[in-house]
Amino acid sequence: SIYIGFSANQFTKSDVDHMVMEEVSQRQKWVQDMRGIFLESGRGIDQHHLNREEFAYYIQDKRVQAYFRRLGLHVEKDNAPALFELIDIDRSGTVSLEEFVNGCAQFVGQARQLDIARLSNTVTVMQNQLTEFLQHQETVTRALSFANAIE
């Protein structure tokens, strides 16, 4: 039997370094592609902002839809307003290039799964807080009813 040994720490560090560099490169390409797709719309006041109507029109472009599907986003005319609301971070009624890129980044890859888990946790915490509040409210209402009955 032949035993071949290697340093797991060295292999892992080199492997991780390579993975990080590849991830950074893929992210840069993704951002560049998203910027290009946004600017390609040729719409908007200064070509760096889209309002709701421009965004809805832009989403109907078959190339844009194909690119979104490649990213794992299925954006159609019917759900364009919902996507617009999610990525219009500053609630200005327009989506800037940066809002578009950063907003779309929220919906792709592993970050999406993490965000869903965070959101689920937040909803659970809020449900518990609401239950406690309603129980307290009920206690206060009973106490007031009892006080009124005594008078």
Side-chain angles (χ1 to χ4, degrees):
S1 183
I2 300 174
Y3 176 77
I4 300 174
F6 63 92
S7 171
N9 288 339
Q10 288 176 344
F11 178 76
T12 302
K13 182 180 178 344
S14 173
D15 195 36
V16 168
D17 288 347
H18 178 71
M19 288 172 33
V20 167
M21 293 301 289
E22 189 171 316
E23 180 71 26
V24 167
S25 176
Q26 287 176 356
R27 172 71 178 167
Q28 288 172 339
K29 177 162 179 11
W30 183 88
V31 167
Q32 183 179 12
D33 288 347
M34 292 303 289
R35 286 176 188 273
I37 237 176
F38 184 90
L39 295 173
E40 202 174 280
S41 71
R43 301 187 59 82
I45 302 164
D46 60 7
Q47 210 180 20
H48 291 285
H49 292 82
L50 295 173
N51 65 28
R52 283 179 182 81
E53 294 77 28
E54 292 164 342
F55 185 79
Y57 180 81
Y58 165 72
I59 290 299
Q60 294 176 51
D61 184 306
K62 297 297 180 196
R63 293 172 301 157
V64 172
Q65 289 182 6
Y67 188 77
F68 276 138
R69 279 192 298 277
R70 195 175 93 208
L71 294 173
L73 296 172
H74 299 281
V75 182
E76 305 291 334
K77 182 180 179 182
D78 296 342
N79 62 2
L83 177 60
F84 183 90
E85 293 300 320
L86 289 171
I87 63 178
D88 181 16
I89 304 299
D90 64 2
R91 301 293 181 240
S92 65
T94 63
V95 173
S96 70
L97 174 60
E98 288 305 312
E99 284 176 314
F100 179 76
V101 171
N102 293 333
C104 290
Q106 296 177 47
F107 307 111
V108 296
Q110 296 298 322
R112 177 176 53 183
Q113 294 173 0
L114 178 60
D115 289 337
I116 289 171
R118 260 191 240 148
L119 183 58
S120 176
N121 182 285
T122 299
V123 167
T124 300
V125 167
M126 290 177 70
Q127 283 176 326
N128 291 340
Q129 290 173 339
L130 182 58
T131 299
E132 288 176 25
F133 173 77
L134 291 174
Q135 288 171 346
H136 178 73
Q137 181 80 18
E138 187 176 321
T139 302
V140 168
T141 302
R142 277 195 223 135
L144 289 173
S145 294
F146 181 73
N148 287 337
I150 293 176
E151 293 177 358

